[in-house]
């Protein structure tokens, strides 16, 4: 089973979600989930700025509340933003009413038409409600930078193995990932540039 790329049944379950952009275009879309946090976001922004790359940040509303200066920096530097719920809650254990309240609470801070569910999963009934209000953005490649079993080299290898035209690539703006991203993010960007990919935002 390939973990790095979404299973076919997930694409069927959420048919109107964005999984991959234009397959004819030599471009990729870097995304970062879970921030902003002072331990990780500044490094990510510095790296993107150094390599003249724009990305999309799917942010947790409570993190934006606690670190508004990081949110403002992300926007000021020309990156796209998206909603990742207010408290990083899962889409299986909560009622539609509670989940939507959490999403809207986050959007009071983030103000974006884009939404990505934590853990990449939610009940289909919840997806049906959410997709009326937001454009749901999933992924074509998740680097698994959050896994304690993965090294920085493993993350770069995943990018090399699975990136393709139109890939929406998911990294994480988190404590679990930052130690590996310090090496893996710049190496991944350099490799993608060598392959002729342009970097775009959602």
């Amino acid at each position: 089973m390939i973990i790095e790329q979404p299973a076919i049944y997930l694409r069927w379950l959420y048919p109107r979600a964005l999984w991959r952009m234009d397959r004819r275009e030599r471009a990729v879309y870097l995304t970062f989930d879970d921030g902003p946090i002072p331990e990780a976001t500044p490094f990510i922004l510095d790296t993107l700025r150094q390599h003249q790359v724009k990305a999309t940040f799917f942010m947790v509303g409570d993190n934006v509340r606690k670190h508004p200066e990081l949110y403002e920096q992300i926007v000021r530097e020309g990156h796209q933003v998206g909603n990742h719920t207010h408290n990083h809650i899962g889409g299986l254990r909560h009622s539609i009413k509670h989940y939507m309240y959490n999403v809207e609470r986050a959007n009071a801070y983030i103000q974006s038409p884009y939404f990505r569910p934590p853990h990449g999963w939610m009940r289909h009934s919840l997806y049906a409600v959410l997709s009326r209000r937001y454009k749901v953005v999933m992924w074509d490649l998740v680097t698994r930078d959050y896994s304690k079993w993965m090294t920085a080299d493993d993350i770069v290898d995943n990018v090399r193995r699975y990136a393709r035209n139109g890939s929406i690539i998911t990294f994480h703006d988190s404590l679990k990932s930052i130690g590996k991203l310090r090496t893996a993010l710049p190496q991944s960007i350099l490799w993608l540039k060598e392959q002729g990919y342009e970097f775009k935002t959602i």
Side-chain angles (χ1 to χ4, degrees):
M1 176 181 177
I2 296 176
I3 299 174
E4 289 78 12
Q5 289 188 309
I8 292 296
Y9 75 86
L10 282 177
R11 296 177 187 257
W12 291 340
L13 190 59
Y14 312 126
R16 295 190 304 276
L18 281 178
W19 293 94
R20 183 181 177 189
M21 303 301 272
D22 192 341
R23 303 179 183 205
R24 300 164 297 177
E25 191 173 34
R26 194 69 170 169
V28 293
Y29 297 72
L30 300 189
T31 67
F32 295 87
D33 289 3
D34 300 349
I37 58 171
E39 297 87 349
T41 310
F43 169 79
I44 293 169
L45 289 174
D46 287 347
T47 302
L48 295 175
R49 190 185 318 109
Q50 178 183 348
H51 294 281
Q52 298 182 312
V53 168
K54 302 301 182 187
T56 303
F57 288 76
F58 288 93
M59 293 184 282
V60 172
D62 197 44
N63 285 341
V64 176
R65 179 189 66 81
K66 290 185 286 190
H67 310 293
E69 73 288 350
L70 291 176
Y71 169 83
E72 291 165 6
Q73 184 180 356
I74 288 167
V75 173
R76 186 171 62 249
E77 295 191 8
H79 302 289
Q80 184 60 270
V81 298
N83 188 324
H84 202 46
T85 75
H86 193 71
N87 299 108
H88 202 267
I89 62 173
L92 296 178
R93 295 184 301 165
H94 300 275
S95 69
I96 292 175
K97 181 178 180 180
H98 178 76
Y99 195 93
M100 287 303 300
Y101 170 78
N102 201 267
V103 171
E104 293 299 332
R105 189 178 177 195
N107 209 48
Y109 294 97
I110 299 166
Q111 300 176 359
S112 171
Y114 302 112
F115 176 78
R116 175 178 282 169
H119 317 297
W121 182 259
M122 56 186 154
R123 295 192 311 280
H124 191 268
S125 56
L126 178 55
Y127 163 73
V129 173
L130 267 166
S131 61
R132 296 187 199 123
R133 170 76 173 81
Y134 297 92
K135 185 62 181 179
V136 177
V137 181
M138 303 300 260
W139 70 92
D140 184 56
L141 162 59
V142 59
T143 62
R144 292 209 291 145
D145 51 354
Y146 54 82
S147 173
K148 66 180 180 180
W149 307 112
M150 302 289 285
T151 67
D153 287 343
D154 292 332
I155 294 162
V156 176
D157 284 345
N158 281 340
V159 173
R160 289 174 173 169
R161 184 174 303 173
Y162 298 109
R164 53 188 178 173
N165 286 4
S167 280
I168 299 172
I169 302 175
T170 299
F171 293 94
H172 288 79
D173 183 2
S174 70
L175 291 173
K176 290 181 179 179
S177 301
I178 188 58
K180 289 164 279 190
L181 283 190
R182 292 187 186 280
T183 299
L185 181 58
Q187 286 189 6
S188 295
I189 290 172
L190 287 172
W191 183 84
L192 289 164
K193 284 190 170 185
E194 289 170 359
Q195 306 310 303
Y197 287 105
E198 185 181 355
F199 294 84
K200 294 189 173 184
T201 59
I202 303 298

